[in-house]
Amino acid sequence: MLTKLGPISAATAFALFAAGCSEFGPASAGGSGNVDKQLSELPAGTRVEPAPAARLQAKFRDHGYELDAVRSNGNPVPRLYVVALPPDIADVAEVDARKRLFIRCVLPAVLAVNEAIAADRRFVSGARELLADGGTLAPGDRSRLDRIFDKYDVERGDIATLLRRVDVVPPALALAQAAIESGWGRSRFAQEGRALFGQHAASESDGLAARGVKDGSVRVQSFRSLRQSVASYMRNLNTHAAYDAFRGQRAAMRERGMLPDGHGLAGTLIAYSERRQTYVKELRAIIDANAFASFDQARLADGNPHTADSDDRLAANTRAGQGRAGTQGES
C-alpha cells in the first residue's frame, strides 16, 4: 500500500538544509534490489559516463546540442544520457552557464522517460479501441496490457483509470522540480546519489543519510543514473494518491484537446511540499524565469526503442510521499 510520511521536525529540516537538499521529495521503496522489478523499456542512445563540466559541455557542442536551437528552431535533443551530473557543476561560476549545463544533462532523461510512457499510452489507447469494437487482444498484447496495469497499480480491466495514469509529465514541470529539489544539481544527494527529486528511501539500510539527523532515520533514495531518478519521480506523480488532482487536471487538458501544461499543472502539487502554495509559486516562477515551457514540446532525435541497461529502467515498486520543507534555490 502506498503511504505518506509524517511531518519532519525543525531539527531534521535544518539538517536537510545543511545537506544541500532544497526540497525533500516523495518516498521511494526499497534499495537497488527493487529497481529492476516490472521495468519499462527506454529508447536507445549514448550513455555518457560521469565527467567534469568542461568535458560534458564539449561533448554537447560536438553533438550540436544547444538549448537555444531546441527552443527556437525545434531542433531535436540528442540521445545523450548523462549518468551523473558533473561533480564540479557548483564551480561553474556564471549562473546562466551552470543552469544551461544542468538542463542539458537532465532534459534528455526527461524526454526519454516520457517517450517510454507515451508508447505505453498509445498501446493502451489502441487496446481500448479494439476491445470497445468487440475485438480480442492477442495473448502477447494481453500480457503487455496486464503488465502495464500492474506497473501503474490499477485493477486489471479499468482502462479509464489506467489512461489517467499512463501519461507524460511536462518537461517544464520536471525540470523545475529537479532544479528546486537538487539545488540545480549542487546538493549532496544529487551529486552522490544521482537523486534529482529528493525521494525518501523506504528503509534505513537504503540510500543516503541526511547529515545532522542523529538516528539516521532520514535517508534519501539513491539511483544508478539520472534516468532512473526521473523514471521513479514520474511514476510517483502517476500513481500516488496525493497527486490525483495532478492526474485529473492533466486528463481534463487532454479532453479539451490541449497538451499537458507544466505551468498549469504545477498548481496541483501543493501536497508535494509542506510549503504548499509557496512551493507552487516557486515552481511557476522557475518555469517562467527559465522559459521552461519552451521545452514542453521538445523531442528526442530519431531512434528506435530497445531494452535499456537495467540501471536506467523504470522502477515500478516505488512509493510516493509528500515533499518536505527546505531552502529555496536559484530561480
Side-chain angles (χ1 to χ4, degrees):
M1 179 180 295
L2 295 172
T3 58
K4 297 182 186 178
L5 301 176
I8 61 174
S9 66
T12 299
F14 178 79
L16 295 175
F17 172 84
C21 182
S22 59
E23 279 292 327
F24 214 34
S28 178
S32 60
N34 279 341
V35 299
D36 295 326
K37 296 179 180 178
Q38 300 178 8
L39 305 174
S40 177
E41 294 182 352
L42 291 179
T46 300
R47 177 186 174 94
V48 181
E49 297 297 337
R55 191 180 303 171
L56 280 178
Q57 289 169 326
K59 189 173 189 66
F60 292 150
R61 285 194 299 270
D62 290 345
H63 284 78
Y65 181 19
E66 299 294 343
L67 294 181
D68 288 344
V70 173
R71 284 180 166 130
S72 303
N73 304 331
N75 285 18
V77 175
R79 294 178 185 269
L80 298 174
Y81 302 132
V82 179
V83 173
L85 293 166
D88 58 346
I89 192 170
D91 297 331
V92 179
E94 206 270 312
V95 173
D96 285 343
R98 186 168 64 241
K99 288 182 177 181
R100 286 195 299 271
L101 178 58
F102 176 81
I103 295 166
R104 290 160 101 185
C105 289
V106 176
L107 182 59
V110 170
L111 297 180
V113 178
N114 269 340
E115 189 174 88
I117 293 171
D120 278 349
R121 181 176 175 83
R122 288 192 300 271
F123 174 80
V124 173
S125 296
R128 179 181 62 175
E129 293 178 6
L130 177 63
L131 294 172
D133 290 339
T136 302
L137 292 174
D141 290 337
R142 169 56 67 183
S143 295
R144 179 181 177 184
L145 183 60
D146 287 344
R147 288 195 300 271
I148 296 173
F149 274 119
D150 295 344
K151 184 164 61 180
Y152 284 88
D153 296 335
V154 176
E155 183 178 355
R156 292 182 181 183
D158 187 357
I159 292 184
T161 297
L162 185 61
L163 282 171
R164 280 170 60 96
R165 295 189 173 200
V166 185
D167 204 348
V168 299
V169 174
L173 184 60
L175 290 171
Q177 291 199 268
I180 292 174
E181 305 298 336
S182 73
W184 290 93
R186 295 171 296 172
S187 78
R188 181 173 70 90
F189 300 124
Q191 284 292 318
E192 297 181 16
R194 300 165 186 181
L196 295 173
F197 302 95
Q199 295 170 284
H200 288 193
S203 72
E204 294 184 9
S205 63
D206 295 328
L208 299 172
R211 291 172 179 163
V213 180
K214 294 181 179 180
D215 61 3
S217 60
V218 179
R219 303 185 70 87
V220 173
Q221 182 66 49
S222 59
F223 298 94
R224 289 193 292 268
S225 71
L226 299 183
R227 283 201 291 177
Q228 190 185 63
S229 178
V230 171
S232 181
Y233 151 78
M234 289 192 179
R235 186 180 184 278
N236 284 340
L237 290 189
N238 280 334
T239 61
H240 194 276
Y243 312 124
D244 185 64
F246 166 84
R247 298 188 292 273
Q249 184 165 325
R250 182 178 60 186
M253 290 176 176
R254 292 285 193 191
E255 291 172 2
R256 295 195 298 269
M258 300 169 56
L259 293 174
D261 169 61
H263 192 279
L265 289 171
T268 66
L269 296 183
I270 58 172
Y272 202 93
S273 168
E274 290 179 342
R275 293 189 293 131
R276 297 179 71 79
Q277 288 294 347
T278 301
Y279 178 73
V280 169
K281 290 179 181 178
E282 183 180 2
L283 273 178
R284 286 175 165 166
I286 287 178
I287 289 172
D288 290 341
N290 297 280
F292 279 167
S294 62
F295 296 123
D296 275 352
Q297 297 188 50
R299 60 186 177 85
L300 289 166
D302 290 340
N304 295 319
H306 79 138
T307 302
D309 293 338
S310 62
D311 68 338
D312 286 333
R313 293 173 179 175
L314 172 62
N317 287 346
T318 56
R319 295 177 185 170
Q322 291 186 0
R324 297 293 177 254
T327 63
Q328 294 185 6
E330 297 166 341
S331 61

